[in-house]
mmCIF file of all heavy atoms in Angstrom:
data_model
loop_
_atom_site.group_PDB
_atom_site.id
_atom_site.type_symbol
_atom_site.label_atom_id
_atom_site.label_comp_id
_atom_site.label_asym_id
_atom_site.label_seq_id
_atom_site.Cartn_x
_atom_site.Cartn_y
_atom_site.Cartn_z
ATOM 1 N N ASP D 1178 89.629 108.598 95.640
ATOM 2 C CA ASP D 1178 88.497 108.029 96.347
ATOM 3 C C ASP D 1178 88.679 108.260 97.840
ATOM 4 O O ASP D 1178 89.714 107.931 98.401
ATOM 5 C CB ASP D 1178 88.444 106.522 96.060
ATOM 6 C CG ASP D 1178 87.131 105.903 96.493
ATOM 7 O OD1 ASP D 1178 86.574 106.377 97.502
ATOM 8 O OD2 ASP D 1178 86.680 104.965 95.828
ATOM 9 N N SER D 1187 102.746 95.474 101.099
ATOM 10 C CA SER D 1187 103.337 96.560 101.863
ATOM 11 C C SER D 1187 103.485 97.824 101.038
ATOM 12 O O SER D 1187 103.497 98.929 101.558
ATOM 13 C CB SER D 1187 104.718 96.127 102.387
ATOM 14 O OG SER D 1187 105.554 95.770 101.301
ATOM 15 N N TYR D 1197 95.269 111.820 85.555
ATOM 16 C CA TYR D 1197 95.304 112.982 84.666
ATOM 17 C C TYR D 1197 95.358 112.482 83.227
ATOM 18 O O TYR D 1197 96.223 111.676 82.876
ATOM 19 C CB TYR D 1197 96.518 113.855 84.947
ATOM 20 C CG TYR D 1197 96.572 114.417 86.342
ATOM 21 C CD1 TYR D 1197 97.332 113.802 87.331
ATOM 22 C CD2 TYR D 1197 95.868 115.565 86.682
ATOM 23 C CE1 TYR D 1197 97.385 114.320 88.616
ATOM 24 C CE2 TYR D 1197 95.919 116.090 87.966
ATOM 25 C CZ TYR D 1197 96.680 115.454 88.925
ATOM 26 O OH TYR D 1197 96.736 115.968 90.185
ATOM 27 N N GLY D 1202 92.719 114.951 73.605
ATOM 28 C CA GLY D 1202 93.326 113.783 72.975
ATOM 29 C C GLY D 1202 92.356 112.629 72.856
ATOM 30 O O GLY D 1202 92.305 111.931 71.836
ATOM 31 N N VAL D 1204 89.004 112.824 72.757
ATOM 32 C CA VAL D 1204 87.984 113.160 71.757
ATOM 33 C C VAL D 1204 88.549 113.009 70.346
ATOM 34 O O VAL D 1204 87.913 112.425 69.453
ATOM 35 C CB VAL D 1204 87.465 114.594 71.984
ATOM 36 C CG1 VAL D 1204 86.556 115.022 70.847
ATOM 37 C CG2 VAL D 1204 86.720 114.681 73.316
ATOM 38 N N VAL D 1212 86.477 107.520 61.931
ATOM 39 C CA VAL D 1212 86.699 107.757 60.504
ATOM 40 C C VAL D 1212 87.408 106.568 59.862
ATOM 41 O O VAL D 1212 87.012 106.078 58.780
ATOM 42 C CB VAL D 1212 87.511 109.051 60.301
ATOM 43 C CG1 VAL D 1212 87.946 109.193 58.843
ATOM 44 C CG2 VAL D 1212 86.692 110.261 60.723
ATOM 45 N N ASP D 1219 84.185 99.958 54.925
ATOM 46 C CA ASP D 1219 83.632 100.146 53.582
ATOM 47 C C ASP D 1219 84.559 99.557 52.528
ATOM 48 O O ASP D 1219 84.102 98.914 51.565
ATOM 49 C CB ASP D 1219 83.416 101.637 53.324
ATOM 50 C CG ASP D 1219 82.829 101.898 51.949
ATOM 51 O OD1 ASP D 1219 81.654 101.547 51.735
ATOM 52 O OD2 ASP D 1219 83.549 102.451 51.091
ATOM 53 N N LEU D 1231 94.528 95.562 51.620
ATOM 54 C CA LEU D 1231 95.229 96.802 51.935
ATOM 55 C C LEU D 1231 94.513 97.562 53.051
ATOM 56 O O LEU D 1231 95.158 98.138 53.938
ATOM 57 C CB LEU D 1231 95.327 97.684 50.692
ATOM 58 C CG LEU D 1231 96.311 97.229 49.602
ATOM 59 C CD1 LEU D 1231 96.135 98.071 48.343
ATOM 60 C CD2 LEU D 1231 97.748 97.333 50.115
ATOM 61 N N ALA D 1232 93.195 97.559 53.020
ATOM 62 C CA ALA D 1232 92.432 98.239 54.067
ATOM 63 C C ALA D 1232 92.658 97.580 55.423
ATOM 64 O O ALA D 1232 92.839 98.253 56.433
ATOM 65 C CB ALA D 1232 90.944 98.239 53.715
ATOM 66 N N LEU D 1248 94.322 107.825 73.151
ATOM 67 C CA LEU D 1248 93.522 107.247 74.232
ATOM 68 C C LEU D 1248 94.370 106.687 75.366
ATOM 69 O O LEU D 1248 93.945 106.704 76.532
ATOM 70 C CB LEU D 1248 92.623 106.132 73.681
ATOM 71 C CG LEU D 1248 91.698 106.499 72.526
ATOM 72 C CD1 LEU D 1248 90.828 105.306 72.153
ATOM 73 C CD2 LEU D 1248 90.826 107.687 72.882
ATOM 74 N N ARG D 1258 103.706 106.927 94.706
ATOM 75 C CA ARG D 1258 104.441 106.890 93.441
ATOM 76 C C ARG D 1258 103.682 107.586 92.325
ATOM 77 O O ARG D 1258 102.501 107.903 92.420
ATOM 78 C CB ARG D 1258 104.730 105.445 93.049
ATOM 79 C CG ARG D 1258 103.506 104.537 93.014
ATOM 80 C CD ARG D 1258 103.055 104.281 91.622
ATOM 81 N NE ARG D 1258 101.914 103.395 91.560
ATOM 82 C CZ ARG D 1258 100.690 103.825 91.353
ATOM 83 N NH1 ARG D 1258 100.471 105.114 91.228
ATOM 84 N NH2 ARG D 1258 99.677 102.981 91.263
ATOM 85 N N LEU D 1270 107.461 105.473 88.981
ATOM 86 C CA LEU D 1270 108.500 106.219 89.686
ATOM 87 C C LEU D 1270 108.057 106.478 91.117
ATOM 88 O O LEU D 1270 107.167 107.309 91.351
ATOM 89 C CB LEU D 1270 108.776 107.559 88.989
ATOM 90 C CG LEU D 1270 109.127 107.517 87.504
ATOM 91 C CD1 LEU D 1270 107.939 107.966 86.661
ATOM 92 C CD2 LEU D 1270 110.331 108.410 87.215
ATOM 93 N N GLY D 1281 108.278 122.969 80.255
ATOM 94 C CA GLY D 1281 108.839 123.848 79.237
ATOM 95 C C GLY D 1281 107.938 123.777 78.026
ATOM 96 O O GLY D 1281 106.763 124.114 78.083
ATOM 97 N N THR D 1288 114.454 111.811 87.068
ATOM 98 C CA THR D 1288 114.764 110.939 88.191
ATOM 99 C C THR D 1288 116.087 111.346 88.826
ATOM 100 O O THR D 1288 116.856 112.128 88.259
ATOM 101 C CB THR D 1288 114.840 109.471 87.744
ATOM 102 O OG1 THR D 1288 115.986 109.300 86.886
ATOM 103 C CG2 THR D 1288 113.587 109.071 86.981
ATOM 104 N N ALA D 1292 117.592 110.296 84.457
ATOM 105 C CA ALA D 1292 116.706 109.904 83.360
ATOM 106 C C ALA D 1292 115.549 110.893 83.238
ATOM 107 O O ALA D 1292 115.120 111.490 84.230
ATOM 108 C CB ALA D 1292 116.170 108.494 83.593
ATOM 109 N N TYR D 1294 111.612 111.524 81.491
ATOM 110 C CA TYR D 1294 110.445 110.919 80.870
ATOM 111 C C TYR D 1294 109.404 112.000 80.598
ATOM 112 O O TYR D 1294 109.075 112.783 81.489
ATOM 113 C CB TYR D 1294 109.844 109.833 81.768
ATOM 114 C CG TYR D 1294 110.807 108.725 82.100
ATOM 115 C CD1 TYR D 1294 111.439 108.693 83.347
ATOM 116 C CD2 TYR D 1294 111.109 107.727 81.176
ATOM 117 C CE1 TYR D 1294 112.334 107.677 83.658
ATOM 118 C CE2 TYR D 1294 112.003 106.720 81.476
ATOM 119 C CZ TYR D 1294 112.619 106.701 82.729
ATOM 120 O OH TYR D 1294 113.506 105.701 83.029
ATOM 121 N N ALA D 1305 97.712 129.148 76.356
ATOM 122 C CA ALA D 1305 97.021 129.259 77.644
ATOM 123 C C ALA D 1305 97.973 129.746 78.730
ATOM 124 O O ALA D 1305 97.587 130.523 79.604
ATOM 125 C CB ALA D 1305 96.428 127.905 78.032
ATOM 126 N N GLU D 1324 95.722 148.179 97.455
ATOM 127 C CA GLU D 1324 96.595 148.558 98.559
ATOM 128 C C GLU D 1324 96.740 150.079 98.647
ATOM 129 O O GLU D 1324 96.682 150.661 99.732
ATOM 130 C CB GLU D 1324 97.966 147.903 98.386
ATOM 131 C CG GLU D 1324 98.914 148.166 99.539
ATOM 132 C CD GLU D 1324 100.238 147.478 99.346
ATOM 133 O OE1 GLU D 1324 100.370 146.685 98.381
ATOM 134 O OE2 GLU D 1324 101.154 147.738 100.151
ATOM 135 N N GLU D 1344 95.077 123.573 82.520
ATOM 136 C CA GLU D 1344 94.879 122.411 83.386
ATOM 137 C C GLU D 1344 96.152 121.590 83.572
ATOM 138 O O GLU D 1344 96.400 121.045 84.639
ATOM 139 C CB GLU D 1344 93.769 121.524 82.809
ATOM 140 C CG GLU D 1344 92.374 122.089 82.965
ATOM 141 C CD GLU D 1344 92.004 123.029 81.827
ATOM 142 O OE1 GLU D 1344 92.904 123.385 81.042
ATOM 143 O OE2 GLU D 1344 90.820 123.407 81.730
ATOM 144 N N MET D 1352 101.301 117.909 91.460
ATOM 145 C CA MET D 1352 102.273 116.822 91.588
ATOM 146 C C MET D 1352 103.558 117.296 92.257
ATOM 147 O O MET D 1352 104.170 116.556 93.032
ATOM 148 C CB MET D 1352 102.555 116.212 90.213
ATOM 149 C CG MET D 1352 101.413 115.356 89.690
ATOM 150 S SD MET D 1352 101.826 114.421 88.206
ATOM 151 C CE MET D 1352 101.898 115.739 86.981
ATOM 152 N N HIS D 1356 105.031 115.724 95.584
ATOM 153 C CA HIS D 1356 106.412 115.242 95.587
ATOM 154 C C HIS D 1356 107.194 115.812 96.752
ATOM 155 O O HIS D 1356 107.944 115.101 97.433
ATOM 156 C CB HIS D 1356 107.073 115.619 94.254
ATOM 157 C CG HIS D 1356 108.549 115.377 94.221
ATOM 158 N ND1 HIS D 1356 109.459 116.356 93.944
ATOM 159 C CD2 HIS D 1356 109.271 114.252 94.472
ATOM 160 C CE1 HIS D 1356 110.669 115.865 93.991
ATOM 161 N NE2 HIS D 1356 110.597 114.591 94.310
ATOM 162 N N ALA D 1364 107.247 104.710 102.531
ATOM 163 C CA ALA D 1364 106.448 103.993 101.540
ATOM 164 C C ALA D 1364 106.673 104.503 100.125
ATOM 165 O O ALA D 1364 106.251 103.862 99.163
ATOM 166 C CB ALA D 1364 104.964 104.108 101.885
ATOM 167 N N ARG D 1372 108.182 99.406 81.632
ATOM 168 C CA ARG D 1372 107.643 98.267 80.893
ATOM 169 C C ARG D 1372 107.204 98.745 79.510
ATOM 170 O O ARG D 1372 106.503 99.728 79.380
ATOM 171 C CB ARG D 1372 106.443 97.662 81.625
ATOM 172 C CG ARG D 1372 105.848 96.441 80.912
ATOM 173 C CD ARG D 1372 104.631 95.916 81.621
ATOM 174 N NE ARG D 1372 103.492 96.803 81.496
ATOM 175 C CZ ARG D 1372 102.676 96.839 80.444
ATOM 176 N NH1 ARG D 1372 102.903 96.056 79.400
ATOM 177 N NH2 ARG D 1372 101.645 97.689 80.415
ATOM 178 N N TYR D 1375 104.070 96.069 74.553
ATOM 179 C CA TYR D 1375 104.127 95.202 73.376
ATOM 180 C C TYR D 1375 102.741 94.985 72.789
ATOM 181 O O TYR D 1375 102.609 94.705 71.589
ATOM 182 C CB TYR D 1375 104.750 93.857 73.756
ATOM 183 C CG TYR D 1375 106.189 93.978 74.192
ATOM 184 C CD1 TYR D 1375 106.544 93.838 75.525
ATOM 185 C CD2 TYR D 1375 107.200 94.249 73.266
ATOM 186 C CE1 TYR D 1375 107.863 93.968 75.929
ATOM 187 C CE2 TYR D 1375 108.521 94.366 73.648
ATOM 188 C CZ TYR D 1375 108.849 94.224 74.993
ATOM 189 O OH TYR D 1375 110.154 94.352 75.386
ATOM 190 N N ILE D 1377 100.687 97.170 72.154
ATOM 191 C CA ILE D 1377 100.477 98.252 71.197
ATOM 192 C C ILE D 1377 101.456 98.135 70.039
ATOM 193 O O ILE D 1377 101.086 98.276 68.860
ATOM 194 C CB ILE D 1377 100.638 99.621 71.878
ATOM 195 C CG1 ILE D 1377 99.556 99.824 72.944
ATOM 196 C CG2 ILE D 1377 100.604 100.744 70.856
ATOM 197 C CD1 ILE D 1377 98.170 99.992 72.394
ATOM 198 N N LEU D 1392 102.160 96.250 49.244
ATOM 199 C CA LEU D 1392 102.546 97.299 48.302
ATOM 200 C C LEU D 1392 103.718 96.866 47.429
ATOM 201 O O LEU D 1392 103.823 97.254 46.260
ATOM 202 C CB LEU D 1392 102.902 98.582 49.079
ATOM 203 C CG LEU D 1392 101.748 99.283 49.801
ATOM 204 C CD1 LEU D 1392 102.262 100.446 50.629
ATOM 205 C CD2 LEU D 1392 100.704 99.767 48.793
#
Side-chain angles (χ1 to χ4, degrees):
D1178 193 326
S1187 58
Y1197 299 97
V1204 172
V1212 171
D1219 181 69
L1231 287 171
L1248 305 183
R1258 53 103 179 102
L1270 306 104
T1288 68
Y1294 301 102
E1324 184 179 353
E1344 287 86 349
M1352 286 189 288
H1356 171 237
R1372 181 183 71 82
Y1375 296 107
I1377 296 291
L1392 292 175

